[in-house]
Amino acid sequence: MKIYVVGIGAGSADGMTYEARKVLENSDVIVGYTVYADLVKKLLPDKEYFTSAMKQERERCEKAVEMAAQGRKVAVICSGDAGVYGMASLVHEVAAEFEDIDVCVVAGVSAMLSGGALVGAPLGHDFAVISLSDLLTPWEKIEKRLECAAIGDFAICLYNPSSKKRRDYLQKACDIILKCRDTKTVCAAAKNIGRDGEEYTVMTLGELRDYQADMFTTVFIGNSQTREIKGKMVTPRGYKNV
Amino acid sequence: MKIYVVGIGAGSADGMTYEARKVLENSDVIVGYTVYADLVKKLLPDKEYFTSAMKQERERCEKAVEMAAQGRKVAVICSGDAGVYGMASLVHEVAAEFEDIDVCVVAGVSAMLSGGALVGAPLGHDFAVISLSDLLTPWEKIEKRLECAAIGDFAICLYNPSSKKRRDYLQKACDIILKCRDTKTVCAAAKNIGRDGEEYTVMTLGELRDYQADMFTTVFIGNSQTREIKGKMVTPRGYKNV
């Protein structure tokens, strides 16, 4: 038996792959966080849905695996990609105890890519992706990673840059990176990618420090070569001018 | 006037987004590296194509921008995503001199995501993406990034792990990472993702050191928490068992 974990992209129907759409169409029940399920319901209103609130991920996965074990065709949905801060690893963990269940992950366009396309080409060279959420990761670990990414001159994409409880985390992150990167480094923030209210801002690292991000923001920090070109953030493909 | 840079995903028709397909269908001419253009030709045989060989990227972009400036609807295609080691930054650079041309990037599923889905969920937590190609980047810079990614306990995805001229680069990279990561660290390699001959191998970092990668291989190196679950590579979403 198979259980699918499907990345639906940023949220618009067009941002989904054909494979993701087919898997959802062929499933008996679609399982997901309420907000993402609502996006899919617009496309596939006649499906059965099992939804639950944020932070209920483990319960949702257990329920999904249970339904799959009963022989139902289950698709667990994630925004963006299924693997990047998504449910794929959790479903693999929960399904480990069920010998008959194969976990099939269907990749999707993660916010680093859809947001990247919106702001220009911020991840055109080596990059690091870091979540500022300390819900499942000690903050010291996050600080260490920010430091390493800065020292390595990686372009950086930040997920979960802010929430109600973590208003100053983006500022803290910028301060760590500013220790070894210029205050004029080109940066960008993308909000509500692929949804109503989509917008982006290109700015300097100094400005990003005081930027008001929210939980629907994806942040990009350039490497030493990143430039602003006609209002977009562009990281060149290399260091040699070939 | 607009010029589109389109990520077509791994290569199968199903791995493309609806948006990418629509842009290609609406374009007058599709510009790309011969191998990727051949993949699109299977879907859209009646389009006009302008193709050229590898390492002709700048000439191809210049030609594409020139055609767009003449009023043609041009789509420059890239495998995977358009931004990640793709043509988006180069098209932005080349188009900078043409005031009337807007560059529109259409994101796609990059090999780190499609390959990740194939091998399990290797990028379930913070990760670094590094290309081992020293064509446009000094090797010392690449070494420094490998070192920083290893120290930061990032999961790591390697692009371009090998080519005819760089047979021992993956071995060199593993040796750098082995300085601060266990030889038993779970790793994986995915070959020919989404194409004929698709395959993957899950192995240890010690084994990866002697693995024969080729230019169609994407490599994944786990962080300290990555596990093998039923033959797949899974990086948990965090460090706390929530």
Side-chain angles (χ1 to χ4, degrees):
Chain A
M1 284 175 292
K2 286 182 177 180
I3 182 168
Y4 288 89
V5 194
V6 181
I8 62 167
S12 72
D14 274 4
M16 207 182 279
T17 66
Y18 284 76
E19 188 184 4
R21 177 75 178 247
K22 280 183 193 170
V23 167
L24 294 179
E25 280 172 356
N26 290 328
S27 62
D28 296 324
V29 53
I30 294 170
V31 177
Y33 168 44
T34 316
V35 173
Y36 306 143
D38 286 347
L39 294 169
V40 176
K41 271 181 196 169
K42 285 184 198 165
L43 297 176
L44 303 168
D46 300 329
K47 286 283 168 188
E48 184 184 328
Y49 288 85
F50 177 83
T51 64
S52 62
M54 218 158 54
K55 298 184 187 170
Q56 307 265 312
E57 286 87 0
R58 183 167 285 275
E59 295 74 7
R60 213 186 296 140
C61 282
E62 283 167 355
K63 180 75 182 170
V65 171
E66 200 180 291
M67 288 190 288
Q70 287 162 1
R72 305 199 71 195
K73 290 181 195 163
V74 179
V76 177
I77 54 167
C78 313
S79 77
D81 179 54
V84 174
Y85 307 116
M87 306 292 279
S89 38
L90 198 50
V91 173
H92 271 292
E93 287 170 26
V94 171
E97 291 151 40
F98 294 75
E99 223 175 83
D100 293 345
I101 294 186
D102 274 338
V103 180
C104 299
V105 181
V106 178
V109 177
S110 185
M112 62 182 154
L113 306 183
S114 53
L118 186 66
V119 309
L123 307 179
H125 203 269
D126 304 334
F127 62 96
V129 181
I130 302 171
S131 165
L132 295 191
S133 166
D134 59 354
L135 207 62
L136 300 168
T137 307
W139 177 253
E140 302 70 43
K141 193 97 194 168
I142 298 171
E143 282 194 334
K144 176 82 179 167
R145 286 193 175 141
L146 290 164
E147 202 185 309
C148 289
I151 294 169
D153 197 29
F154 284 96
I156 301 170
C157 179
L158 299 179
Y159 278 66
N160 308 308
S162 184
S163 75
K164 278 177 195 159
K165 287 187 185 163
R166 301 178 286 108
R167 286 211 181 278
D168 62 339
Y169 281 27
L170 178 58
Q171 197 165 75
K172 282 184 185 174
C174 288
D175 285 339
I176 292 167
I177 294 164
L178 278 163
K179 282 183 198 161
C180 41
R181 212 164 288 187
D182 196 277
T183 180
K184 294 216 157 44
T185 303
V186 179
C187 296
K191 274 188 186 176
N192 304 311
I193 305 158
R195 304 183 197 166
D196 292 342
E198 179 181 88
E199 59 172 61
Y200 72 94
T201 315
V202 173
M203 61 194 119
T204 66
L205 182 52
E207 289 162 349
L208 180 65
R209 193 183 173 278
D210 298 314
Y211 178 80
Q212 286 306 309
D214 62 25
M215 57 180 291
F216 299 107
T217 309
T218 305
V219 166
F220 299 91
I221 297 165
N223 69 14
S224 62
Q225 310 296 304
T226 305
R227 291 191 292 149
E228 184 173 334
I229 297 179
K230 292 200 285 188
K232 299 246 171 148
M233 174 182 177
V234 178
T235 301
R237 296 166 67 235
Y239 285 77
K240 296 173 189 169
N241 195 16
V242 179
Chain B
M1 284 175 291
K2 285 181 178 181
I3 182 167
Y4 288 90
V5 195
V6 181
I8 62 166
S12 71
D14 274 5
M16 205 182 278
T17 66
Y18 283 77
E19 187 183 4
R21 176 76 179 246
K22 280 182 192 171
V23 167
L24 295 179
E25 280 172 358
N26 289 331
S27 63
D28 296 325
V29 55
I30 294 170
V31 177
Y33 167 45
T34 317
V35 174
Y36 307 143
D38 286 346
L39 294 169
V40 176
K41 271 181 196 168
K42 285 185 200 166
L43 297 176
L44 303 168
D46 300 329
K47 286 283 168 188
E48 183 183 328
Y49 289 83
F50 177 84
T51 65
S52 61
M54 220 160 48
K55 298 183 189 171
Q56 308 266 312
E57 285 87 359
R58 183 167 286 276
E59 293 75 7
R60 213 186 297 142
C61 281
E62 283 166 356
K63 181 75 184 169
V65 170
E66 199 179 291
M67 288 191 286
Q70 287 161 2
R72 304 199 71 195
K73 289 181 196 163
V74 179
V76 177
I77 53 168
C78 314
S79 77
D81 180 55
V84 173
Y85 308 116
M87 306 291 280
S89 39
L90 198 51
V91 174
H92 272 292
E93 287 170 25
V94 171
E97 291 151 37
F98 295 75
E99 223 175 83
D100 294 345
I101 294 187
D102 275 337
V103 180
C104 299
V105 181
V106 179
V109 177
S110 185
M112 63 181 153
L113 305 183
S114 52
L118 186 66
V119 308
L123 307 179
H125 204 270
D126 303 336
F127 61 95
V129 182
I130 302 170
S131 166
L132 296 191
S133 165
D134 60 353
L135 206 62
L136 299 169
T137 307
W139 176 252
E140 302 69 43
K141 195 94 193 170
I142 299 170
E143 282 195 334
K144 176 82 179 167
R145 286 190 174 143
L146 290 164
E147 202 183 311
C148 288
I151 293 170
D153 197 29
F154 283 97
I156 301 170
C157 179
L158 299 179
Y159 279 65
N160 307 309
S162 186
S163 76
K164 277 176 197 160
K165 286 189 186 164
R166 302 179 285 108
R167 287 209 181 279
D168 61 339
Y169 281 27
L170 178 56
Q171 197 165 73
K172 282 184 185 173
C174 288
D175 285 339
I176 291 167
I177 294 164
L178 278 164
K179 282 183 198 161
C180 42
R181 212 164 286 186
D182 197 277
T183 178
K184 293 217 155 42
T185 303
V186 179
C187 296
K191 272 187 187 176
N192 304 311
I193 304 159
R195 303 183 199 165
D196 292 342
E198 179 182 89
E199 58 172 60
Y200 72 94
T201 315
V202 174
M203 62 195 120
T204 66
L205 182 52
E207 288 162 350
L208 181 65
R209 193 183 173 280
D210 298 316
Y211 178 81
Q212 285 306 312
D214 62 25
M215 57 180 292
F216 299 108
T217 308
T218 305
V219 166
F220 299 91
I221 297 166
N223 68 15
S224 61
Q225 310 295 303
T226 305
R227 292 190 290 149
E228 184 176 335
I229 297 180
K230 293 200 283 189
K232 300 245 170 149
M233 174 182 176
V234 178
T235 300
R237 294 166 69 234
Y239 285 77
K240 295 172 188 169
N241 194 14
V242 179

